[in-house]
Coordinates of all heavy atoms in Angstrom, one line a residue:
M3 N -17.5 8.2 -12.0 CA -16.2 7.6 -11.6 C -16.3 6.2 -11.0 O -15.5 5.4 -11.2 CB -15.6 8.6 -10.6 CG -14.2 8.3 -10.2 SD -13.1 8.6 -11.5 CE -11.6 8.6 -10.7
F4 N -17.4 6.0 -10.3 CA -17.6 4.7 -9.7 C -17.6 3.5 -10.6 O -17.0 2.5 -10.3 CB -18.9 4.7 -8.8 CG -19.1 3.4 -8.1 CD1 -18.3 3.1 -7.0 CD2 -20.0 2.5 -8.6 CE1 -18.5 1.9 -6.3 CE2 -20.2 1.2 -7.9 CZ -19.4 1.0 -6.8
P5 N -18.2 3.6 -11.8 CA -18.1 2.4 -12.6 C -16.7 2.1 -13.1 O -16.4 0.9 -13.3 CB -18.9 2.9 -13.9 CG -19.8 3.9 -13.4 CD -19.1 4.6 -12.3
M6 N -15.8 3.0 -13.1 CA -14.4 2.7 -13.4 C -13.6 2.1 -12.3 O -12.6 1.4 -12.5 CB -13.6 4.0 -13.9 CG -14.3 4.6 -15.2 SD -14.2 3.4 -16.6 CE -12.4 3.4 -16.8
L7 N -14.1 2.3 -11.1 CA -13.4 1.8 -9.9 C -13.3 0.3 -9.9 O -12.3 -0.3 -9.6 CB -14.1 2.3 -8.6 CG -13.5 1.7 -7.3 CD1 -12.0 2.1 -7.2 CD2 -14.2 2.1 -6.1
W8 N -14.4 -0.4 -10.3 CA -14.4 -1.9 -10.3 C -13.3 -2.4 -11.3 O -12.7 -3.4 -11.1 CB -15.8 -2.5 -10.5 CG -16.4 -2.3 -11.9 CD1 -17.1 -1.3 -12.4 CD2 -16.2 -3.1 -13.0 NE1 -17.4 -1.4 -13.7 CE2 -16.8 -2.5 -14.2 CE3 -15.5 -4.3 -13.2 CZ2 -16.9 -3.1 -15.4 CZ3 -15.5 -4.9 -14.5 CH2 -16.2 -4.3 -15.6
L9 N -13.1 -1.6 -12.5 CA -12.1 -2.0 -13.4 C -10.7 -1.9 -12.8 O -9.9 -2.7 -12.9 CB -12.2 -1.1 -14.6 CG -13.2 -1.5 -15.7 CD1 -13.2 -0.5 -16.8 CD2 -12.9 -2.9 -16.2
K10 N -10.5 -0.8 -12.1 CA -9.2 -0.6 -11.4 C -8.9 -1.7 -10.4 O -7.8 -2.2 -10.2 CB -9.2 0.8 -10.7 CG -9.0 1.9 -11.7 CD -8.8 3.3 -10.9 CE -8.5 4.3 -11.9 NZ -8.1 5.5 -11.1
R11 N -10.0 -2.0 -9.6 CA -9.8 -3.0 -8.6 C -9.4 -4.4 -9.1 O -8.7 -5.1 -8.5 CB -11.1 -3.2 -7.7 CG -11.4 -2.0 -6.8 CD -12.7 -2.1 -6.2 NE -12.7 -2.8 -4.9 CZ -12.4 -2.5 -3.8 NH1 -11.9 -1.3 -3.6 NH2 -12.4 -3.3 -2.7
L12 N -9.9 -4.7 -10.3 CA -9.7 -5.9 -11.0 C -8.3 -5.9 -11.8 O -7.8 -7.0 -12.1 CB -10.8 -6.4 -11.8 CG -12.1 -6.6 -11.2 CD1 -13.2 -7.0 -12.2 CD2 -12.0 -7.9 -10.2
N13 N -7.8 -4.8 -12.0 CA -6.6 -4.6 -12.8 C -5.4 -4.8 -11.8 O -5.1 -3.9 -11.0 CB -6.7 -3.3 -13.5 CG -5.5 -3.1 -14.5 OD1 -4.4 -3.7 -14.3 ND2 -5.7 -2.1 -15.4
F14 N -4.6 -5.8 -12.1 CA -3.4 -6.1 -11.3 C -2.5 -4.9 -11.3 O -1.9 -4.6 -10.3 CB -2.8 -7.3 -11.7 CG -1.5 -7.6 -11.2 CD1 -1.4 -8.0 -9.8 CD2 -0.3 -7.4 -11.8 CE1 -0.1 -8.3 -9.2 CE2 0.9 -7.5 -11.3 CZ 1.0 -8.0 -10.0
M15 N -2.3 -4.3 -12.4 CA -1.3 -3.3 -12.6 C -1.7 -2.0 -11.8 O -0.8 -1.4 -11.2 CB -1.1 -2.8 -14.1 CG -0.6 -3.9 -15.0 SD 1.0 -4.4 -14.4 CE 2.1 -3.0 -14.7
E16 N -3.0 -1.7 -11.7 CA -3.4 -0.6 -10.9 C -3.1 -0.8 -9.5 O -2.6 0.1 -8.7 CB -4.9 -0.3 -11.1 CG -5.2 0.2 -12.5 CD -4.7 1.7 -12.8 OE1 -4.6 2.5 -11.8 OE2 -4.3 1.9 -13.9
T17 N -3.4 -2.0 -9.0 CA -3.1 -2.4 -7.6 C -1.6 -2.4 -7.4 O -1.2 -1.9 -6.3 CB -3.7 -3.7 -7.3 OG1 -5.1 -3.7 -7.5 CG2 -3.4 -4.2 -5.8
A18 N -0.9 -2.9 -8.3 CA 0.6 -3.0 -8.1 C 1.2 -1.6 -8.0 O 2.1 -1.3 -7.3 CB 1.2 -3.7 -9.3
K19 N 0.6 -0.6 -8.8 CA 1.2 0.8 -8.7 C 0.9 1.4 -7.3 O 1.9 2.0 -6.8 CB 0.4 1.7 -9.7 CG 0.7 1.5 -11.1 CD -0.1 2.4 -12.0 CE 0.1 2.0 -13.4 NZ -0.8 2.9 -14.3
L20 N -0.2 1.1 -6.7 CA -0.4 1.6 -5.4 C 0.4 0.9 -4.4 O 1.0 1.5 -3.4 CB -1.9 1.4 -5.0 CG -2.9 2.2 -5.8 CD1 -4.3 1.8 -5.3 CD2 -2.7 3.6 -5.6
E21 N 0.7 -0.4 -4.5 CA 1.6 -1.2 -3.6 C 3.0 -0.6 -3.8 O 3.7 -0.4 -2.8 CB 1.6 -2.6 -4.0 CG 0.2 -3.3 -3.6 CD 0.2 -4.7 -4.1 OE1 1.0 -5.1 -4.9 OE2 -0.7 -5.5 -3.5
M22 N 3.4 -0.3 -5.0 CA 4.8 0.3 -5.2 C 4.9 1.7 -4.5 O 6.0 2.0 -4.1 CB 5.1 0.4 -6.7 CG 5.5 -0.9 -7.3 SD 6.9 -1.7 -6.4 CE 8.2 -0.5 -6.6
E23 N 3.9 2.4 -4.5 CA 3.9 3.8 -3.9 C 4.4 3.6 -2.4 O 5.1 4.3 -1.8 CB 2.6 4.5 -3.9 CG 2.3 5.0 -5.3 CD 0.9 5.7 -5.3 OE1 0.5 6.3 -4.2 OE2 0.3 5.8 -6.4
M24 N 3.6 2.6 -1.8 CA 3.9 2.3 -0.3 C 5.3 1.7 -0.1 O 6.0 2.1 0.8 CB 2.8 1.3 0.3 CG 3.0 1.2 1.7 SD 2.9 2.7 2.7 CE 1.1 2.8 3.1
M25 N 5.8 0.9 -1.0 CA 7.0 0.2 -0.9 C 8.2 1.3 -1.1 O 9.2 1.3 -0.4 CB 7.2 -0.9 -1.9 CG 8.4 -1.7 -1.7 SD 8.3 -2.4 -0.1 CE 9.1 -3.9 -0.3
K26 N 7.9 2.2 -2.1 CA 8.9 3.3 -2.3 C 9.0 4.3 -1.0 O 10.1 4.7 -0.7 CB 8.6 4.1 -3.6 CG 8.9 3.4 -4.8 CD 8.6 4.1 -6.1 CE 8.9 3.3 -7.3 NZ 8.5 4.0 -8.5
A27 N 7.9 4.5 -0.5 CA 7.9 5.3 0.7 C 8.6 4.6 1.9 O 9.4 5.2 2.6 CB 6.4 5.6 1.2
F28 N 8.5 3.3 2.0 CA 9.2 2.5 2.9 C 10.8 2.6 2.7 O 11.5 2.9 3.6 CB 8.7 1.0 2.9 CG 9.7 0.1 3.7 CD1 9.8 0.1 5.0 CD2 10.4 -0.9 3.0 CE1 10.5 -0.7 5.8 CE2 11.2 -1.7 3.7 CZ 11.3 -1.7 5.1
E29 N 11.1 2.4 1.5 CA 12.6 2.5 1.1 C 13.2 3.9 1.3 O 14.3 4.0 1.6 CB 12.7 2.1 -0.4 CG 12.4 0.5 -0.6 CD 12.4 0.1 -2.0 OE1 12.4 1.0 -2.9 OE2 12.4 -1.1 -2.3
A30 N 12.3 4.9 1.2 CA 12.7 6.3 1.3 C 12.8 6.7 2.8 O 13.2 7.7 3.2 CB 11.9 7.2 0.6
G31 N 12.4 5.8 3.7 CA 12.4 6.0 5.1 C 11.2 6.9 5.6 O 11.3 7.4 6.7
E32 N 10.2 7.0 4.8 CA 9.0 7.8 5.3 C 8.3 7.1 6.5 O 8.4 5.9 6.7 CB 8.0 8.0 4.1 CG 8.5 8.9 3.0 CD 7.6 9.0 1.9 OE1 6.3 9.1 2.2 OE2 8.0 9.1 0.7
D33 N 7.5 8.0 7.1 CA 6.7 7.4 8.3 C 5.4 6.8 7.7 O 4.5 7.6 7.3 CB 6.4 8.5 9.3 CG 5.6 8.1 10.4 OD1 5.1 6.9 10.4 OD2 5.4 8.8 11.4
L34 N 5.4 5.5 7.5 CA 4.3 4.8 6.9 C 3.0 4.9 7.7 O 2.0 5.0 7.0 CB 4.7 3.4 6.7 CG 5.9 3.1 5.7 CD1 6.1 1.6 5.6 CD2 5.8 3.8 4.4
D35 N 3.1 5.0 9.0 CA 1.9 5.1 9.8 C 1.3 6.5 9.5 O 0.1 6.5 9.4 CB 2.2 4.8 11.2 CG 2.6 3.4 11.5 OD1 1.8 2.5 11.0 OD2 3.5 3.1 12.2
A36 N 2.1 7.4 9.5 CA 1.6 8.9 9.2 C 1.0 8.9 7.8 O 0.0 9.6 7.6 CB 2.7 9.9 9.3
K37 N 1.6 8.3 6.8 CA 1.1 8.2 5.5 C -0.3 7.6 5.4 O -1.1 8.1 4.7 CB 2.2 7.5 4.6 CG 1.8 7.5 3.1 CD 3.0 7.0 2.4 CE 2.8 7.0 0.8 NZ 2.9 8.4 0.3
L38 N -0.4 6.5 6.2 CA -1.7 5.8 6.2 C -2.7 6.6 6.9 O -3.9 6.7 6.5 CB -1.5 4.5 6.9 CG -2.4 3.3 6.5 CD1 -2.3 3.0 5.0 CD2 -2.2 2.1 7.3
D39 N -2.3 7.3 8.0 CA -3.3 8.1 8.7 C -3.7 9.3 7.8 O -5.0 9.6 7.8 CB -2.7 8.7 9.9 CG -2.4 7.7 11.1 OD1 -3.1 6.5 11.0 OD2 -1.7 7.9 12.0
A40 N -2.9 9.9 7.0 CA -3.2 11.0 6.1 C -4.2 10.4 5.0 O -5.1 11.1 4.7 CB -2.0 11.6 5.5
Q41 N -3.9 9.2 4.5 CA -4.8 8.6 3.5 C -6.2 8.3 4.1 O -7.2 8.5 3.4 CB -4.2 7.4 2.9 CG -5.0 6.8 1.8 CD -5.3 7.8 0.7 OE1 -4.4 8.6 0.3 NE2 -6.4 7.6 0.0
A42 N -6.2 7.9 5.4 CA -7.5 7.6 6.0 C -8.4 8.9 6.1 O -9.6 8.8 5.9 CB -7.2 7.0 7.4
Q43 N -7.6 10.0 6.4 CA -8.4 11.3 6.5 C -9.0 11.7 5.1 O -10.1 12.1 5.0 CB -7.6 12.4 7.0 CG -7.2 12.2 8.5 CD -6.4 13.4 9.0 OE1 -5.9 14.2 8.2 NE2 -6.2 13.4 10.3
I44 N -8.2 11.5 4.0 CA -8.6 11.7 2.7 C -9.8 10.8 2.4 O -10.8 11.2 1.7 CB -7.5 11.6 1.7 CG1 -6.3 12.6 2.0 CG2 -8.0 11.7 0.2 CD1 -5.1 12.4 1.2
A45 N -9.6 9.6 2.6 CA -10.6 8.6 2.3 C -12.0 8.8 3.1 O -13.0 8.4 2.7 CB -10.2 7.2 2.6
G46 N -11.8 9.5 4.3 CA -13.0 9.8 5.1 C -14.0 10.7 4.2 O -15.2 10.8 4.7
G47 N -13.5 11.3 3.2 CA -14.4 12.1 2.5 C -15.4 11.4 1.6 O -16.3 11.9 1.1
G48 N -15.2 10.0 1.5 CA -16.2 9.2 0.9 C -15.9 8.9 -0.6 O -16.5 8.1 -1.3
D49 N -14.8 9.4 -1.1 CA -14.3 9.1 -2.5 C -13.9 7.6 -2.6 O -13.1 7.2 -2.0 CB -13.2 10.0 -2.9 CG -12.7 9.8 -4.4 OD1 -13.2 8.9 -5.0 OD2 -11.9 10.6 -4.9
A50 N -14.6 6.9 -3.4 CA -14.4 5.4 -3.6 C -12.9 5.1 -3.9 O -12.4 4.0 -3.5 CB -15.4 4.8 -4.6
V51 N -12.4 5.8 -4.8 CA -11.0 5.6 -5.2 C -10.0 5.8 -4.1 O -9.1 5.0 -3.9 CB -10.6 6.5 -6.4 CG1 -9.1 6.3 -6.8 CG2 -11.5 6.2 -7.6
E52 N -10.2 6.8 -3.3 CA -9.4 7.0 -2.1 C -9.6 6.0 -1.1 O -8.6 5.6 -0.4 CB -9.6 8.5 -1.5 CG -9.3 9.6 -2.5 CD -7.8 9.6 -3.0 OE1 -7.0 9.1 -2.2 OE2 -7.6 10.2 -4.0
V53 N -10.8 5.5 -0.9 CA -11.1 4.3 0.1 C -10.3 3.1 -0.4 O -9.7 2.4 0.4 CB -12.5 4.0 0.2 CG1 -12.8 2.8 1.0 CG2 -13.3 5.3 0.8
W54 N -10.3 2.9 -1.7 CA -9.6 1.7 -2.3 C -8.2 1.8 -2.1 O -7.5 0.9 -1.7 CB -10.0 1.6 -3.8 CG -9.2 0.5 -4.5 CD1 -9.2 -0.8 -4.2 CD2 -8.3 0.7 -5.7 NE1 -8.3 -1.4 -5.1 CE2 -7.8 -0.5 -6.0 CE3 -8.0 1.9 -6.4 CZ2 -7.0 -0.7 -7.1 CZ3 -7.1 1.7 -7.5 CH2 -6.7 0.4 -7.8
R55 N -7.6 3.1 -2.3 CA -6.2 3.3 -2.1 C -5.8 3.0 -0.6 O -4.8 2.3 -0.4 CB -5.8 4.8 -2.4 CG -4.3 5.0 -2.2 CD -4.1 6.5 -2.4 NE -4.6 7.1 -3.6 CZ -3.8 7.2 -4.8 NH1 -2.6 6.8 -4.8 NH2 -4.4 7.7 -5.9
L56 N -6.7 3.4 0.3 CA -6.4 3.1 1.7 C -6.4 1.6 1.9 O -5.6 1.1 2.7 CB -7.5 3.8 2.6 CG -7.4 3.5 4.1 CD1 -6.1 4.1 4.7 CD2 -8.6 4.1 4.8
E57 N -7.3 0.8 1.4 CA -7.4 -0.6 1.5 C -6.1 -1.2 1.0 O -5.5 -2.1 1.7 CB -8.6 -1.1 0.7 CG -9.9 -0.8 1.3 CD -11.0 -1.2 0.4 OE1 -10.8 -2.0 -0.6 OE2 -12.2 -0.9 0.7
V58 N -5.7 -0.8 -0.2 CA -4.4 -1.4 -0.7 C -3.2 -1.1 0.1 O -2.3 -1.9 0.4 CB -4.3 -0.9 -2.2 CG1 -2.9 -1.3 -2.7 CG2 -5.4 -1.4 -3.1
W59 N -3.1 0.2 0.5 CA -2.0 0.6 1.4 C -2.0 -0.1 2.7 O -0.9 -0.4 3.2 CB -2.0 2.1 1.5 CG -1.5 2.9 0.4 CD1 -1.1 2.4 -0.8 CD2 -1.3 4.2 0.3 NE1 -0.7 3.4 -1.7 CE2 -0.8 4.6 -1.0 CE3 -1.5 5.3 1.2 CZ2 -0.5 5.8 -1.4 CZ3 -1.1 6.6 0.8 CH2 -0.7 6.8 -0.5
T60 N -3.2 -0.3 3.3 CA -3.2 -1.0 4.5 C -2.7 -2.4 4.5 O -1.9 -2.9 5.3 CB -4.7 -1.0 5.1 OG1 -5.1 0.4 5.3 CG2 -4.8 -1.7 6.4
K61 N -3.1 -3.1 3.4 CA -2.6 -4.5 3.2 C -1.1 -4.5 2.9 O -0.5 -5.4 3.4 CB -3.4 -5.1 2.0 CG -4.9 -5.4 2.3 CD -5.5 -5.9 1.1 CE -7.1 -6.0 1.3 NZ -7.8 -6.5 0.0
M62 N -0.6 -3.5 2.2 CA 0.7 -3.5 1.8 C 1.6 -3.2 3.1 O 2.7 -3.7 3.3 CB 1.0 -2.4 0.8 CG 2.4 -2.5 0.2 SD 2.7 -4.1 -0.6 CE 4.4 -4.1 -0.7
L63 N 1.1 -2.3 4.0 CA 1.8 -2.0 5.2 C 1.9 -3.2 6.1 O 2.9 -3.5 6.6 CB 1.1 -0.9 6.0 CG 1.8 -0.5 7.3 CD1 3.2 0.0 7.0 CD2 1.0 0.6 8.0
A64 N 0.8 -4.1 6.1 CA 0.9 -5.3 6.8 C 2.1 -6.2 6.2 O 2.8 -6.8 7.0 CB -0.4 -6.1 6.8
R65 N 2.2 -6.3 4.9 CA 3.2 -7.1 4.3 C 4.6 -6.5 4.6 O 5.5 -7.2 4.9 CB 3.1 -7.1 2.8 CG 1.9 -7.9 2.3 CD 1.8 -8.0 0.8 NE 0.6 -8.3 0.4 CZ -0.1 -7.7 -0.6 NH1 0.5 -6.8 -1.3 NH2 -1.3 -8.1 -0.9
I66 N 4.8 -5.2 4.6 CA 6.0 -4.6 4.9 C 6.4 -4.9 6.3 O 7.5 -5.2 6.7 CB 5.9 -3.1 4.7 CG1 5.8 -2.8 3.2 CG2 7.1 -2.3 5.3 CD1 5.6 -1.3 2.8
R67 N 5.5 -4.8 7.3 CA 5.7 -5.1 8.7 C 6.2 -6.5 8.9 O 7.1 -6.8 9.7 CB 4.5 -4.8 9.6 CG 4.1 -3.4 9.7 CD 5.1 -2.5 10.3 NE 4.6 -1.2 10.4 CZ 5.3 0.0 10.0 NH1 6.5 -0.2 9.5 NH2 4.8 1.1 10.2
K68 N 5.6 -7.4 8.1 CA 6.0 -8.9 8.2 C 7.4 -9.0 7.6 O 8.3 -9.7 8.3 CB 5.1 -9.7 7.2 CG 4.5 -10.8 7.9 CD 3.6 -11.6 6.9 CE 2.3 -11.9 7.4 NZ 1.4 -12.8 6.7
M69 N 7.8 -8.2 6.6 CA 9.1 -8.3 6.0 C 10.1 -7.8 7.1 O 11.2 -8.3 7.3 CB 9.3 -7.5 4.8 CG 8.6 -8.2 3.6 SD 9.0 -7.3 2.0 CE 8.4 -5.7 2.3
Q70 N 9.7 -6.7 7.8 CA 10.6 -6.1 8.7 C 10.8 -7.1 9.9 O 12.0 -7.3 10.4 CB 10.0 -4.9 9.4 CG 10.1 -3.6 8.4 CD 9.4 -2.4 9.0 OE1 8.3 -2.5 9.6 NE2 10.0 -1.3 8.8
A71 N 9.8 -7.8 10.3 CA 10.0 -8.8 11.4 C 10.8 -9.9 11.0 O 11.7 -10.4 11.7 CB 8.6 -9.3 11.8
L72 N 10.7 -10.4 9.7 CA 11.6 -11.4 9.2 C 13.0 -11.0 9.1 O 13.9 -11.8 9.3 CB 11.1 -11.9 7.8 CG 9.8 -12.7 7.8 CD1 9.4 -12.9 6.4 CD2 10.0 -14.0 8.6
M73 N 13.2 -9.7 8.8 CA 14.6 -9.2 8.7 C 15.3 -9.1 10.0 O 16.4 -9.2 10.1 CB 14.6 -7.8 7.9 CG 14.3 -8.0 6.4 SD 13.7 -6.6 5.5 CE 15.0 -5.5 5.8
K74 N 14.4 -8.8 11.0 CA 15.0 -8.8 12.4 C 15.5 -10.2 12.9 O 16.5 -10.2 13.6 CB 13.9 -8.2 13.4 CG 13.8 -6.8 13.3 CD 12.8 -6.4 14.4 CE 12.4 -5.0 14.4 NZ 11.3 -4.6 15.3
D75 N 14.8 -11.2 12.5 CA 15.0 -12.5 12.9 C 16.2 -13.2 12.2 O 16.7 -14.1 12.7 CB 13.8 -13.4 12.9 CG 12.7 -13.0 13.8 OD1 13.0 -12.3 14.8 OD2 11.6 -13.3 13.6
K76 N 16.6 -12.6 11.1 CA 17.6 -13.1 10.2 C 18.9 -12.8 10.8 O 19.3 -11.8 11.2 CB 17.4 -12.5 8.8 CG 18.3 -13.1 7.8 CD 18.2 -12.5 6.5 CE 19.1 -13.1 5.4 NZ 19.0 -12.5 4.1
P77 N 19.8 -13.9 10.9 CA 21.2 -13.7 11.4 C 21.9 -12.7 10.5 O 21.8 -12.7 9.3 CB 21.8 -15.0 11.5 CG 20.9 -15.9 10.6 CD 19.5 -15.3 10.5
A78 N 22.9 -12.0 11.1 CA 23.8 -11.1 10.3 C 24.7 -11.9 9.4 O 25.1 -13.0 9.8 CB 24.6 -10.3 11.3
P79 N 24.9 -11.4 8.2 CA 25.8 -12.1 7.2 C 27.2 -12.1 7.8 O 27.6 -11.1 8.4 CB 25.6 -11.3 6.0 CG 25.0 -9.9 6.3 CD 24.4 -10.2 7.7
K80 N 27.9 -13.1 7.4 CA 29.3 -13.2 7.8 C 30.2 -12.5 6.9 O 29.9 -12.5 5.6 CB 29.7 -14.7 7.9 CG 28.9 -15.4 9.0 CD 29.4 -16.9 9.1 CE 28.6 -17.5 10.2 NZ 29.0 -18.9 10.3
A81 N 31.1 -11.8 7.3 CA 32.0 -10.9 6.5 C 33.1 -11.7 5.8 O 33.5 -12.7 6.1 CB 32.7 -9.9 7.3

């Protein structure tokens, strides 16, 4: 399985799929921190693919938090 991991890591589409999983969870109102904690426990088993998923989700969560901060600072639209 490990030889295929480097292909997945280099494949933009595979990374984008994982990023979309996190974005869809955000849009659905899921608890992203709990989702990340659960993935960290799974990745703790040492499976390289699960560790990679955790890395991608962690980076995506940082982007989502940035978007949330920007949305807070944005003035309300005028009616």
